[in-house]
């Protein structure tokens, strides 16, 4: 057993009492393990009908695999420090950190009680009127304010150093850019999709482009990314959006975060083709998803361009022509990384409920084939799709 792991509920309660003032001394606190993520342990500590907090603890391995996949505990420091930094620029959209403790590799943070995991909300076809706006603003503000356009040169490099995150980056380097493009033992492939996966492994044109995206992920320290911005890292109500879980944070290409969000909306679009329920309702929902992608990109690019124009400190980066070129690069990276997310969630290690809830393997394979095809097109055509309208046209054509 790992030395620092909480021994029992009483240890978790004592930890919370030591570091918060939220509970009365005589409150009868209850601990529930609520984590359904791949990597860590997450608990809710609550007073019945009263206050509550979340405790997240990292152990030196991947939760779903066990001690056979070791992982640095530094990830929980990175998560705590990212949440604090994100709060400086986008506080409305992140949970508040109450306490971080290095020795226990644990964070105490705000309980998002009434919020629902976005992946579940999307599968339930729950329309969220502010989601696209919130995510667009969250990304524009966190990414701009941690880039060289805003930070002074020394500050930026000090931050890059603070957020060196080799273990978690290696997971992404392997799961996004390596495994799905070869017959890797970590892959999980629905049998009817096997031929389509094998075709991908032979697709040299695609593999060159994926190598380019991987190289960008490895080398382009543009801004502090969330680094794992999929639907499971977002919690929602009709009025509120919270982005959690930035343990994969590091300085990388801005389009990786934007592409992850768009890729996940597109995964739901693919899954809804064969998910349960009325066909017309599913089609309406899929149209709604495309409208959200459109809104999200507009919100992100409008705010990011505005921040570049108004708040860029470095004189040479104030040039409007260069700023326009920067947006084009972010756009093509966004498309490419969205494509890699679609592919890795379909045949790689970490699948998503948007597709997995389709019980019939043959029907699921139809949606998965759509995700593979779309992912491939986005990667190959990322420099030839010039607008969000062109992107949405390409997506709609998949239905024909
Ligand atoms: C072994 S970790 C698998 C996936 O879960 C995380 O949330 C990341 O998305 C990672 O790729
Ligand atoms: Mg996570």
């Amino acid at each position: 057993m790992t030395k620092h792991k909480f021994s029992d509920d009483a240890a978790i309660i004592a930890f919370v009492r030591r570091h918060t003032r939220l509970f009365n001394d005589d409150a009868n606190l209850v601990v529930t393990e609520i984590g359904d993520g791949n990597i860590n342990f997450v608990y809710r500590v609550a007073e019945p009908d009263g206050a509550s907090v979340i405790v997240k603890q990292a152990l030196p391995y991947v939760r779903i695999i066990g001690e056979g996949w070791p992982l640095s505990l530094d990830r929980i420091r990175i998560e705590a420090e990212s949440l604090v930094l994100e709060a400086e620029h986008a506080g409305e959209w992140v949970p508040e950190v109450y306490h971080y403790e290095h020795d226990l590799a644990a964070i105490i943070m705000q309980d998002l009680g009434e919020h629902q995991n976005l992946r579940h909300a999307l599968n339930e076809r729950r329309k969220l009127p502010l989601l696209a706006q919130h995510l667009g603003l969250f990304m524009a503000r966190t990414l701009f304010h941690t880039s060289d356009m805003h930070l002074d040169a020394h500050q930026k490099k000090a931050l890059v150093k603070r957020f060196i995150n080799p273990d978690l980056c290696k997971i992404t380097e392997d799961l996004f850019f390596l495994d799905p493009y070869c017959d890797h033992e970590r892959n999980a492939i629905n049998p009817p999709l096997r031929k389509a996966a094998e075709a991908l492994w032979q697709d040299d044109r695609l593999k060159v482009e994926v190598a380019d995206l991987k190289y960008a992920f490895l080398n382009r320290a543009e801004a502090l990314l969330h680094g794992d911005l999929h639907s499971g890292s977002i919690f929602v109500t009709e009025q509120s959006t919270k982005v959690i879980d930035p343990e994969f944070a590091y300085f990388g290409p801005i389009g990786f975060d934007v592409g992850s969000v768009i890729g996940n909306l597109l995964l739901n679009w693919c899954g809804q083709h064969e998910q349960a329920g009325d066909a017309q309702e599913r089609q309406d929902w899929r149209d709604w998803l495309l409208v959200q992608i459109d809104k999200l990109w507009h919100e992100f690019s409008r705010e990011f361009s505005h921040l570049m124009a108004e708040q860029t400190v470095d004189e040479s980066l104030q040039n409007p022509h260069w700023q326009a070129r920067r947006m084009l690069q972010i756009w093509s990276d966004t498309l490419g990384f969205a494509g890699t997310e679609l592919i890795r969630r379909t045949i790689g290690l970490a699948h998503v409920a948007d597709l997995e809830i389709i019980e019939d393997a043959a029907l699921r394979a139809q949606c998965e084939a759509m995700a593979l095809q779309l992912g491939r097109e986005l990667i190959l055509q990322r420099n030839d799709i010039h607008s969000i309208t062109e992107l949405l046209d390409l997506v709609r054509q998949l239905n024909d």
Side-chain angles (χ1 to χ4, degrees), residues 228 230 245 247:
D228 195 25
H230 60 88
D245 216 7
E247 67 191 318

PDB file of all heavy atoms in Angstrom, residues 228 230 245 247, ligand 2:
ATOM      1  N   ASP A 228      -5.936  18.410 -21.027  1.00  0.00           N
ATOM      2  CA  ASP A 228      -6.812  17.215 -21.067  1.00  0.00           C
ATOM      3  C   ASP A 228      -8.274  17.686 -21.086  1.00  0.00           C
ATOM      4  O   ASP A 228      -9.100  17.237 -20.300  1.00  0.00           O
ATOM      5  CB  ASP A 228      -6.546  16.333 -19.842  1.00  0.00           C
ATOM      6  CG  ASP A 228      -7.125  14.930 -19.985  1.00  0.00           C
ATOM      7  OD1 ASP A 228      -7.308  14.463 -21.127  1.00  0.00           O
ATOM      8  OD2 ASP A 228      -7.395  14.297 -18.943  1.00  0.00           O
ATOM      9  N   HIS A 230     -11.203  17.359 -22.276  1.00  0.00           N
ATOM     10  CA  HIS A 230     -12.272  16.560 -22.883  1.00  0.00           C
ATOM     11  C   HIS A 230     -13.571  16.766 -22.092  1.00  0.00           C
ATOM     12  O   HIS A 230     -13.564  17.407 -21.030  1.00  0.00           O
ATOM     13  CB  HIS A 230     -11.864  15.090 -22.946  1.00  0.00           C
ATOM     14  CG  HIS A 230     -11.569  14.482 -21.603  1.00  0.00           C
ATOM     15  ND1 HIS A 230     -12.548  13.912 -20.825  1.00  0.00           N
ATOM     16  CD2 HIS A 230     -10.410  14.363 -20.889  1.00  0.00           C
ATOM     17  CE1 HIS A 230     -12.013  13.452 -19.707  1.00  0.00           C
ATOM     18  NE2 HIS A 230     -10.716  13.713 -19.726  1.00  0.00           N
ATOM     19  N   ASP A 245      -9.599  19.448 -13.280  1.00  0.00           N
ATOM     20  CA  ASP A 245      -8.673  18.378 -13.597  1.00  0.00           C
ATOM     21  C   ASP A 245      -7.492  18.739 -14.525  1.00  0.00           C
ATOM     22  O   ASP A 245      -7.162  17.941 -15.418  1.00  0.00           O
ATOM     23  CB  ASP A 245      -9.514  17.273 -14.271  1.00  0.00           C
ATOM     24  CG  ASP A 245      -9.033  15.890 -13.894  1.00  0.00           C
ATOM     25  OD1 ASP A 245      -8.158  15.828 -13.030  1.00  0.00           O
ATOM     26  OD2 ASP A 245      -9.513  14.916 -14.475  1.00  0.00           O
ATOM     27  N   GLU A 247      -4.415  18.288 -14.515  1.00  0.00           N
ATOM     28  CA  GLU A 247      -3.158  17.641 -14.118  1.00  0.00           C
ATOM     29  C   GLU A 247      -2.226  17.405 -15.308  1.00  0.00           C
ATOM     30  O   GLU A 247      -1.042  17.143 -15.129  1.00  0.00           O
ATOM     31  CB  GLU A 247      -3.435  16.327 -13.390  1.00  0.00           C
ATOM     32  CG  GLU A 247      -4.039  15.281 -14.278  1.00  0.00           C
ATOM     33  CD  GLU A 247      -4.556  14.081 -13.513  1.00  0.00           C
ATOM     34  OE1 GLU A 247      -3.859  13.645 -12.603  1.00  0.00           O
ATOM     35  OE2 GLU A 247      -5.652  13.592 -13.852  1.00  0.00           O
TER      36      GLU A 247
HETATM   37 MG1  LIG B   2      -8.632  13.620 -15.965  1.00  0.00          MG
END
